[in-house]
Amino acid sequence: LSLYSSPARETKYVENPQTQLEEGVSRLRHVMEPYTAWWTELIDSSKVKVDSSLCSDFFSEGCEFLQNPPAGFYPRLGVIGFAGIVGLFLARGSRIKKLVYPAGLMGIGASMYYPQQAVSIAKVAGTQLYDWSLQGYIAVETLWKDN
């Protein structure tokens, strides 16, 4: 016996016969083929229309941004999304926690990557919060004076 060669084997491929289930599925696929082709054609044509109308009219900047994102955009997006998932995991118990924790952690994650935008959003949110609190104070004061 040689150490480097192996005896030639003669193999033959034998196809298993189809079962009744396989034959039934095959018949069903052949019967449904015109309908699935029609449905696929309908979806493809509507998808082209929707994509062209959305990207050309209203959301052209967003579509272009997502098609050509800046370097490192998707990893940043992943970290911010993961922060939201961690917030959902940590928010056990009340419904308020389930709203506050994910939003807070996602906000912290986004502010780490986009500090200038976070400062501008915080300024606008601060002025809005001040305005709302002032309106609430005035409403309570008028109710107090009426009584």
Side-chain angles (χ1 to χ4, degrees), residues 69-83 109-110 112-114:
F73 173 72
Y74 289 119
R76 290 177 180 179
L77 187 66
V79 169
I80 294 168
F82 183 71
M112 286 178 13
Y113 286 118
Y114 305 104

Side-chain angles (χ1 to χ4, degrees), residues 55-127:
C55 285
S56 67
D57 295 340
F58 302 111
F59 305 109
S60 61
E61 292 179 14
C63 288
E64 289 176 17
F65 182 78
L66 290 176
Q67 288 172 353
N68 301 319
F73 173 72
Y74 289 119
R76 290 177 180 179
L77 187 66
V79 169
I80 294 168
F82 183 71
I85 292 171
V86 168
L88 279 176
F89 179 72
L90 293 176
R92 294 185 183 155
S94 71
R95 291 182 182 171
I96 295 173
K97 283 184 182 179
K98 290 181 182 178
L99 292 174
V100 172
Y101 282 18
L105 288 177
M106 288 175 71
I108 290 169
S111 67
M112 286 178 13
Y113 286 118
Y114 305 104
Q116 293 171 342
Q117 290 87 349
V119 168
S120 65
I121 289 172
K123 285 180 183 178
V124 170
T127 57

